[in-house]
């Protein structure tokens, strides 16, 4: 979704919940980067299964913005 839509859709509580276990800023200045604003990587990879072979899955533990 767009950054504007993400800012209108999600709250700071949503950001805190969706970034549990990730070391990052947790303030209203980055709500447009909330994970829920992005397509699910699992769904994207599923749709591309005829093109790619998943050999590893990584988990984000740090996010630096600004």
């Amino acid at each position: 979704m767009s950054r504007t839509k993400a800012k209108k859709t999600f709250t700071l509580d949503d950001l805190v919940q969706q970034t549990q276990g990730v070391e990052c800023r947790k303030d209203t200045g980055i709500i447009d980067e909330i994970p829920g604003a992005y397509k699910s990587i699992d769904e994207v990879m599923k749709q591309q299964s005829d093109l790619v072979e998943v050999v590893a899955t990584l988990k984000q533990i740090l996010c630096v913005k600004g």
Side-chain angles (χ1 to χ4, degrees):
M1 72 178 58
S2 71
R3 292 184 182 278
T4 301
K5 185 173 179 182
K7 289 177 183 179
K8 291 178 180 179
T9 302
F10 296 104
T11 66
L12 183 56
D13 288 338
D14 295 327
L15 178 66
V16 170
Q17 180 183 0
Q18 291 185 28
T19 58
Q20 284 181 336
V22 178
E23 184 63 33
C24 63
R25 285 176 47 194
K26 298 181 193 288
D27 60 66
T28 56
I30 62 160
I31 286 186
D32 57 329
E33 294 289 341
I34 193 169
Y38 292 88
K39 293 178 184 174
S40 162
I41 188 63
D42 295 327
E43 185 60 33
V44 170
M45 295 305 291
K46 180 180 171 185
Q47 292 175 1
Q48 303 300 318
S49 62
D50 59 329
L51 301 174
V52 297
E53 175 188 353
V54 176
V55 296
T57 301
L58 304 176
K59 180 184 180 333
Q60 179 180 5
I61 58 170
L62 177 67
C63 179
V64 178
K65 179 181 177 184

